[in-house]
Amino acid sequence: MQKAIINGLLLVCLCWVIGCVPRAQSQEFVARNPITYGLTLQPSGFDPHIHASSELGIPLRQVYDTLVYRDPASGEFTAGLATAWSISDDGLNYTFTLREGVRFHDGEPFNAQAVAANLDRITNPMVGSQKALFMLGAYDGYDIIDDYTIRLRLREPYSPLLDSFSQVYLGIASPRALNEYSTERYQFYQVGTGPFVFVEYVPGDRLVLRRNFDYAWGPAFYDPLTPETVDEVTFRFYTDPSTRALALESGDVDVMGELLPIDARALSANNNFQIIPVTIPGQPLQFLMNTERFPTDRIEVRQALIYATNRAAIIDAVFQRFSPIAWGALAAGTRFYSADVVGAYEYDAAQARALLETSGFEDSNNDGILDFGGAPLTITMIVPSWGLIPETAQLIQAQLREIGVDVVFDSVPSRSLLFERVAEGEYNLAAWYEFGSDPAFLTRYFTSAGDLNWSNYRSDELDGLLNEAVRQFNPDARRSLYNQAQRNIMSQALLLPIRDYVNLNGARANLEGLTY
């Protein structure tokens, strides 16, 4: 049986570019063990310091190394481009000892100056993304101690910093390439130190990576190179979910991400293929509720919407039971997830109706829709076009209609348009999610000053819990704070959780060693 191994494919959903390798390698190289991987999105941008989609990590994790890694088995931090690190007692200084003998794909040596150049780029407001900048916490600069030691300074403690440095958004790029190409052009010439070299990107067609045969500094959990190891990966784009299983069955791809649940169910009975479900930490598929717009400005309405949503029925019909019910602001596979929220707002249509009736809503004109003072109980829901969200929204619409709530869709085809609609504020519910192993991202969504506070909820108590949680280094203290925060968020019914994400990946049965 053919054995093909890809080291370190970490599932995290996005984007791509034209890159290059030395001409000699490009001309002489003949792939012995190539594979084709189906991605689910057309690229809109590739730069890990600029773009925020989670699919970005599937190809770019191969191109870039990070200062530290999380071992996928143990969840513990392990050495990457940094061989050791220390944190000062006050949590304000992180000192990294860097690996020697590492070179970027363009021959540039890796050292403290390279790390500094990347930090300068990420923190440049004209370049770095909100996501990458947020991941640095209260970053306040660096000190280069010597060629292989760098110290980072923080204005206040930020305990998730190591987790941030394990993610591709803070991957280390070649300073020479960053200097040679403009911000716009660098996307087409990406250069890292990782196990694969960025070769080419043909818009709308393919992205090609090739094995970096000089790679000898990967994390301990990477498998060693063998003659059977994958040496070339061609990524192709399948934006139409209905085409993904067909591409796998026809042999057009060897691996396909995000199969439709119904297709995954069918393929699981075929011995020629393997289905690889990957539980994704972070947020569940959720609908954030706008607390500043009628009628979701009333907590009783928000609570009623959750009670009236039959999530088990949605998971059966849309997700073929591959995904578990979500109960709160974090998916169950996320650090510091609180089991206290499990069972909260269990489906109860009668309870939903009672909440609305006791709040003064009634069907005064017998049209089947409740109203309050003549204003109908109409919910505007922003519905992105991806991830089976439209199908989910349609079932929610039918379920809420049963209790006298009218749901109107505002369908958006792109992330940028979704953000525009949210900025306009004319919504009650907006579908969104974010992936990540550390719940520090909750600060962006549920603190008063959070840049993604789409619920527009403001609470000194919740601010205090979430802000203190990222300052604390003691895991027990962080767990207690996040437990309280999750209970607080759900007691205020700030979101309608639907399902924890489980990505359904398909692959040839004889492809081994695929790790997410």
Side-chain angles (χ1 to χ4, degrees):
M1 178 172 63
Q2 180 186 357
K3 180 181 180 183
I5 298 171
I6 301 177
N7 283 321
L9 279 178
L10 300 183
L11 191 66
V12 275
C13 188
L14 178 154
C15 314
W16 310 92
V17 287
I18 295 176
C20 61
V21 292
R23 183 175 299 275
Q25 179 180 347
S26 179
Q27 291 177 340
E28 297 172 4
F29 180 83
V30 177
R32 296 178 57 188
N33 293 299
I35 68 167
T36 301
Y37 195 115
L39 292 173
T40 64
L41 296 179
Q42 281 285 3
S44 59
F46 291 76
D47 196 321
H49 298 163
I50 295 175
H51 299 99
S53 169
S54 53
E55 203 172 40
L56 183 78
I58 295 177
L60 293 192
R61 170 58 80 183
Q62 318 313 309
V63 176
Y64 295 101
D65 283 313
T66 47
L67 288 183
V68 299
Y69 282 84
R70 270 196 190 273
D71 188 304
S74 68
E76 300 298 319
F77 293 114
T78 189
L81 291 177
T83 57
W85 51 88
S86 62
I87 305 171
S88 62
D89 291 341
D90 60 7
L92 298 180
N93 293 281
Y94 284 66
T95 302
F96 292 93
T97 301
L98 305 178
R99 192 179 298 276
E100 299 184 34
V102 175
R103 287 195 173 272
F104 290 94
H105 299 151
D106 60 2
E108 186 81 356
F110 167 75
N111 50 32
Q113 289 78 12
V115 176
N118 279 260
L119 289 169
D120 288 343
R121 185 173 191 257
I122 291 166
T123 56
N124 182 340
M126 301 300 292
V127 178
S129 71
Q130 280 290 98
K131 182 179 181 72
L133 189 58
F134 171 82
M135 292 171 69
L136 288 175
Y139 172 80
D140 197 37
Y142 57 79
D143 301 303
I144 296 177
I145 309 304
D146 57 45
D147 282 348
Y148 293 98
T149 311
I150 188 168
R151 179 172 61 231
L152 272 62
R153 305 187 307 272
L154 304 180
R155 294 184 298 277
E156 59 182 42
Y158 187 68
S159 58
L161 191 61
L162 286 180
D163 179 79
S164 297
F165 276 117
S166 74
Q167 298 190 40
V168 74
Y169 309 103
L170 301 185
I172 305 300
S174 164
R176 180 195 298 177
L178 296 179
N179 287 331
E180 183 174 354
Y181 303 107
S182 67
T183 299
E184 294 76 17
R185 291 190 66 209
Y186 177 71
Q187 293 194 82
F188 301 96
Y189 299 91
Q190 296 197 62
V191 182
T193 63
F196 282 80
V197 177
F198 197 99
V199 176
E200 68 169 346
Y201 168 62
V202 179
D205 183 33
R206 67 185 180 272
L207 167 73
V208 180
L209 306 181
R210 286 186 187 147
R211 171 68 67 179
N212 175 12
F213 289 95
D214 294 328
Y215 191 70
W217 46 81
F221 59 82
Y222 273 13
D223 292 321
L225 292 175
T226 72
E228 297 171 314
T229 299
V230 166
D231 53 7
E232 182 176 86
V233 185
T234 299
F235 293 93
R236 295 191 182 275
F237 312 109
Y238 293 85
T239 57
D240 182 352
S242 66
T243 65
R244 295 171 191 166
L246 293 174
L248 189 61
E249 291 177 298
S250 67
D252 289 343
V253 299
D254 302 291
V255 185
M256 177 61 74
E258 295 190 50
L259 292 167
L260 286 173
I262 194 168
D263 290 337
R265 184 69 66 195
L267 285 172
S268 63
N270 188 328
N271 292 332
N272 294 318
F273 304 103
Q274 54 181 314
I275 300 299
I276 308 169
V278 179
T279 300
I280 310 300
Q283 294 177 325
L285 170 57
Q286 63 189 352
F287 290 81
L288 295 162
M289 301 209 205
N290 186 353
T291 64
E292 289 188 340
R293 188 170 191 259
F294 179 83
T296 47
D297 57 345
R298 307 182 64 163
I299 187 172
E300 298 85 1
V301 173
R302 301 196 300 270
Q303 291 173 332
L305 297 181
I306 307 176
Y307 276 121
T309 302
N310 189 339
R311 288 168 279 181
I314 293 171
I315 285 168
D316 286 350
V318 179
F319 301 104
Q320 296 288 299
R321 298 192 181 182
F322 280 110
S323 294
I325 291 174
W327 297 103
L330 292 179
T334 314
R335 295 186 74 210
F336 308 128
Y337 169 77
S338 175
D340 292 348
V341 300
V342 174
Y345 302 101
E346 190 86 56
Y347 173 61
D348 189 338
Q351 174 68 5
R353 292 189 194 95
L355 280 167
L356 296 176
E357 290 170 3
T358 57
S359 300
F361 288 91
E362 61 179 351
D363 185 3
S364 61
N365 59 2
N366 296 314
D367 66 350
I369 300 300
L370 300 177
D371 57 79
F372 184 85
L377 184 46
T378 300
I379 301 295
T380 299
M381 177 185 288
I382 300 179
V383 181
S385 61
W386 55 85
L388 297 176
I389 296 174
E391 292 81 355
T392 299
Q394 288 169 8
L395 286 180
I396 294 173
Q397 181 186 51
Q399 292 169 0
L400 295 184
R401 180 81 187 198
E402 292 296 317
I403 65 163
V405 178
D406 183 33
V407 177
V408 176
F409 294 156
D410 182 359
S411 300
V412 292
S414 67
R415 182 179 184 273
S416 59
L417 191 56
L418 169 63
F419 275 64
E420 288 179 18
R421 289 287 195 272
V422 170
E424 292 168 1
E426 301 299 317
Y427 66 95
N428 297 105
L429 276 69
W432 188 243
Y433 52 87
E434 181 164 329
F435 300 142
S437 55
D438 192 288
F441 55 75
L442 291 179
T443 307
R444 302 183 72 187
Y445 290 87
F446 298 108
T447 58
S448 301
D451 62 307
L452 296 174
N453 181 11
W454 292 2
S455 64
N456 294 304
Y457 180 73
R458 293 166 180 81
S459 162
D460 290 342
E461 179 185 2
L462 189 54
D463 288 354
L465 291 170
L466 292 174
N467 288 326
E468 181 60 24
V470 298
R471 289 192 287 260
Q472 280 285 344
F473 284 83
N474 183 291
D476 291 335
R478 294 193 75 202
R479 181 174 292 104
S480 175
L481 290 163
Y482 278 121
N483 283 353
Q484 295 176 66
Q486 290 169 77
R487 293 195 301 269
N488 187 306
I489 290 166
M490 292 315 297
S491 71
Q492 294 298 315
L494 301 183
L495 61 98
L496 168 57
I498 301 298
R499 64 118 176 183
D500 287 352
Y501 269 88
V502 176
N503 278 356
L504 302 174
N505 306 281
R508 288 189 288 106
N510 63 346
L511 186 68
E512 297 182 355
L514 186 64
T515 303
Y516 288 85

